Amino acid sequence: MADEPLAPCPASPNCVSSLMVGEMHVDPLTYSDTADAARQRLLAVLAGMERATLVGKGGRNVGVEFRSAVFGFIDDVEFRFEPPGQIQVRSASRTGYYDFGVNRRRVEAIRDAFAASSQTTR
């Protein structure tokens, strides 16, 4: 995976990003430990999620593909570690127009699990 900034969301409502404004915005993940420790916690959270495949973890970026249970549609989720203590996130469907809020719910679930992992590692 290239060590590049996250791409902006397309005009379709099947994408959320911490770098967007308005309805497509989600908050970035935050951490107070080291970037390396936060990266390991994030990778552990992602490894525990159903239908998730790690596709890259180069430089400051981490990429994951999520496959839907029924039709096998793929959503791409990208994370970029930005100092100090923020992980920018983008989650987008590869195909289709609507995602019925799946990408937003996924990012919120990742955020909750990531925050909970911080509590258990202290």
Side-chain angles (χ1 to χ4, degrees):
M1 161 170 249
D3 189 14
E4 299 175 3
L6 302 181
C9 284
S12 56
N14 61 1
C15 178
V16 294
S17 172
S18 56
L19 301 176
M20 299 297 290
V21 295
E23 291 186 17
M24 292 181 178
H25 177 78
V26 291
D27 291 333
L29 283 68
T30 60
Y31 61 93
S32 59
D33 46 356
T34 67
D36 287 338
R39 177 183 291 271
Q40 292 308 312
R41 288 193 298 114
L42 178 61
L43 291 172
V45 165
L46 296 171
M49 298 185 79
E50 292 183 2
R51 297 179 303 280
T53 303
L54 185 67
V55 294
K57 56 178 181 175
R60 298 187 327 193
N61 293 6
V62 172
V64 183
E65 291 178 352
F66 285 88
R67 190 172 296 273
S68 68
V70 177
F71 295 109
F73 295 128
I74 297 174
D75 293 343
D76 295 300
V77 183
E78 302 169 272
F79 301 90
R80 181 166 174 87
F81 284 76
E82 298 282 354
Q86 283 195 343
I87 306 171
Q88 301 297 337
V89 59
R90 177 185 187 271
S91 183
S93 302
R94 248 186 226 178
T95 57
Y97 186 76
Y98 290 108
D99 72 345
F100 304 100
V102 169
N103 284 292
R104 179 174 300 280
R105 287 191 303 275
R106 179 183 300 114
V107 169
E108 296 305 328
I110 292 168
R111 179 190 331 289
D112 291 347
F114 182 74
S117 74
S118 175
Q119 304 302 318
T120 60
T121 58
R122 291 184 183 187

